[in-house]
Amino acid sequence: MSCCGPNRRQVLGLLAAAAALPMAGPATARAQAGSLVVTDLEVVTITEQSAAFTWTTLGPDANGNTVPVETDSEVWLGPADGSGPRQIFGDPQPTAYHYAEVTGLEPGRAYRFEARSRGIPAAPALNVATRVPNTPESQGVFTTLVPPPGRLLRTIALSNDIHYGEEISGLIAAGLPPGVRQEPGLPPYPEVMLTALLDDMHRPDRAVDHLLLAGDLTAEATPDQVRGVHAQLATWGAPGRDWFAARGNHDRPHPGPDYASCTPYLDRHDCWGDSFSARQQLVSHEIGGLRLIALDTTQLDAPGGTLDRAQLDQLRELLTGDPDRPTLVFGHHPVTTESGWSNIAGPSFILDAANAAELQSIYRSAPGVFLHHSGHTHRNRRTHADLPIPVEFLEVAAAKEYPGGYMLLRLYEGGYMLNFHKTRTEAARRWSTRSRGEYFGLLPEYTLGTTADRNFVVPRDLTGVMSI
């Protein structure tokens, strides 16, 4: 049972554009001499003092099929105006799914780089997203960000679309296009990716204070799926203190006997609400001078979003009652007109137009609102507001599939910085590489986003937020 796909015409159009493209195989092998292909280079993350690179190594197996090949990882890097790059990262541990993060860089400086395996420079995949002339991958150059002024106050991870319990990734409608399954014998991929997400939250180099989850935590909100995702999140911290969640369309109340043990809701049962919050209920939290507002934007039987009158009125009352308090709003469905026409499913896939217009009108009377975080489209994308308001509208790529990660939001006294990070466990990197073959290999074109969608700084007065 799914309510999250575009219509048949859109599916057929996507398939017609992609039908001839191959999908990657699952196995790994040792390459024959001279046969190694070093590809899929992505400069995923660029902060003020670090950069993260991913790539894949491939070669033929005994039957001549192209498969991932395990080998070493190196990064060569130096100032773009200097004498040339030198090796600053080396990992001899063999892997086919390479991840390298370099640190100690200078803010606002251009660097020339090469990622290598077995001495061979990595090249970007045959994707426009990383091969157009102005990308770091095609130029071999990136420039670090300049952080906002003032002290670092808090660090928040933004995530969404875990789809706990899902078994086939990449289906849009009616079983098409062909989806991708986990390899036999390996744990379910939503659990792999959630484990990797929470692993990153624990690591000191991320120093995450809070985790926000903007919907679709489950595949179809069965009792087992809801209990499973809630229990796994609880291993990281306490709900309402360490992590905060909004409902997505996959988490909606469902009909049928599989849901009968959960709280009744109209002609169905709301299992997600039993562990999280009731449907169409706004939930507000305050942490150290920062206000977090979770919206439930879901409909019962449609992929698009809506907000009922009670939620909108409550939101207006909260914001206008304390309009200057720094506020981050998150909900599953994107809001802006630009998001409507730029996502593959069209305007009906996002928050309905009347609600979106009223929501942005409310933000205009509350200058403390600085960011609206959404999921649903499974892509990294910044879009412009429909009104002249200083609010960033940000869609974050899915945690459960390629590119497989989260946004790290760092709040400073003088603004904020956002960076997309891929999760780093070996199992997560393996599944992320496998799932990039979704949509006949077109998934990176849609979901990765530009460097500026993934890494950016916004000046803003956030002195009302207290540091921990």
Side-chain angles (χ1 to χ4, degrees):
M1 170 182 275
S2 176
C3 72
C4 64
N7 63 37
R8 181 177 176 82
R9 179 179 299 176
Q10 291 158 341
V11 173
L12 293 176
L14 177 67
L15 297 181
L21 297 177
M23 294 177 66
T28 58
R30 298 290 177 183
Q32 299 172 12
S35 64
L36 189 69
V37 176
V38 187
T39 185
D40 298 345
L41 173 67
E42 293 172 0
V43 187
V44 182
T45 310
I46 303 169
T47 76
E48 81 282 18
Q49 61 180 2
S50 67
F53 310 86
T54 60
W55 67 97
T56 307
T57 42
L58 304 171
D61 64 9
N63 298 317
N65 300 310
T66 300
V67 296
V69 172
E70 295 179 341
T71 186
D72 66 322
S73 309
E74 294 180 359
V75 174
W76 292 60
L77 183 145
D81 57 357
S83 59
R86 60 186 177 85
Q87 185 179 348
I88 62 168
F89 177 93
D91 187 353
Q93 180 67 36
T95 182
Y97 317 103
H98 303 265
Y99 179 98
E101 187 167 352
V102 298
T103 59
L105 307 180
E106 297 180 33
R109 188 161 193 181
Y111 289 88
R112 189 169 299 281
F113 72 94
E114 273 190 0
R116 303 178 183 175
S117 286
R118 203 176 295 169
I120 302 171
L126 297 175
N127 299 118
V128 174
T130 50
R131 279 191 175 265
V132 292
N134 63 341
T135 64
E137 294 85 356
S138 63
Q139 293 180 322
V141 176
F142 67 86
T143 300
T144 51
L145 301 179
V146 176
R151 294 177 301 137
L152 175 64
L153 302 172
R154 284 177 185 263
T155 301
I156 300 172
L158 310 180
S159 183
N160 42 262
D161 294 279
I162 296 167
H163 291 221
Y164 195 95
E166 185 177 88
E167 296 181 355
I168 305 176
S169 188
L171 296 180
I172 297 180
L176 293 172
V180 181
R181 292 181 180 269
Q182 178 63 290
E183 297 169 68
L186 296 183
Y189 61 82
E191 296 176 32
V192 165
M193 301 306 280
L194 179 54
T195 298
L197 171 69
L198 299 180
D199 177 76
D200 257 30
M201 302 300 98
H202 282 294
R203 296 198 193 189
D205 61 345
R206 297 295 183 256
V208 172
D209 300 311
H210 309 286
L211 170 63
L212 271 56
L213 300 137
D216 278 4
L217 277 62
T218 67
E220 292 298 338
T222 66
D224 286 347
Q225 291 171 8
V226 171
R227 285 192 295 265
V229 74
H230 194 281
Q232 197 162 344
L233 289 168
T235 66
W236 186 75
R241 185 194 69 191
D242 302 311
W243 58 269
F244 310 86
R247 187 196 300 259
N249 55 300
H250 282 263
D251 307 316
R252 69 198 184 280
H254 284 64
D258 291 344
Y259 301 87
S261 63
C262 302
T263 298
Y265 183 88
L266 301 177
D267 60 343
R268 53 198 73 201
H269 292 83
D270 187 9
C271 301
W272 199 89
D274 287 344
S275 294
F276 293 91
S277 58
R279 184 173 178 272
Q280 281 291 315
Q281 177 177 304
L282 177 154
V283 181
S284 180
H285 308 271
E286 292 188 10
I287 50 172
L290 174 67
R291 179 167 50 195
L292 304 174
I293 297 178
L295 300 176
D296 183 343
T297 58
T298 62
Q299 300 186 57
L300 286 179
D301 291 304
T306 191
L307 289 165
D308 65 13
R309 175 47 49 193
Q311 262 197 108
L312 285 165
D313 289 347
Q314 185 181 0
L315 179 65
R316 186 185 301 276
E317 181 180 357
L318 277 172
L319 293 182
T320 57
D322 191 3
D324 297 315
R325 180 180 294 276
T327 301
L328 190 166
V329 182
F330 64 109
H332 191 58
H333 292 83
V335 173
T336 66
T337 300
E338 181 183 348
S339 180
W341 59 252
S342 64
N343 82 82
I344 61 172
S348 64
F349 200 60
I350 69 167
L351 191 67
D352 73 75
N355 282 171
E358 184 170 356
L359 184 68
Q360 293 177 76
S361 177
I362 294 171
Y363 290 168
R364 184 162 55 180
S365 62
V369 178
F370 63 91
L371 178 65
H372 187 114
H373 159 217
S374 303
H376 197 45
T377 57
H378 294 203
R379 62 180 181 171
N380 291 313
R381 179 75 182 233
R382 298 167 67 187
T383 63
H384 295 91
D386 301 322
L387 298 175
I389 52 177
V391 180
E392 285 285 335
F393 288 88
L394 178 67
E395 299 161 42
V396 177
K400 62 104 174 177
E401 65 193 352
Y402 172 91
Y406 57 93
M407 283 281 181
L408 206 61
L409 167 66
R410 290 189 286 164
L411 303 178
Y412 294 80
E413 291 174 317
Y416 57 94
M417 179 185 297
L418 275 154
N419 299 102
F420 182 76
H421 292 266
K422 288 187 179 182
T423 47
R424 294 177 279 181
T425 68
E426 178 74 13
R429 289 184 280 128
R430 184 183 185 104
W431 169 254
S432 184
T433 301
R434 181 174 174 83
S435 60
R436 74 178 286 139
E438 291 175 22
Y439 304 164
F440 296 100
L442 291 177
L443 191 65
E445 305 286 16
Y446 181 62
T447 61
L448 180 62
T450 67
T451 302
D453 286 317
R454 304 192 307 271
N455 305 283
F456 61 95
V457 173
V458 178
R460 187 73 180 239
D461 180 6
L462 294 176
T463 53
V465 178
M466 293 181 288
S467 60
I468 291 181

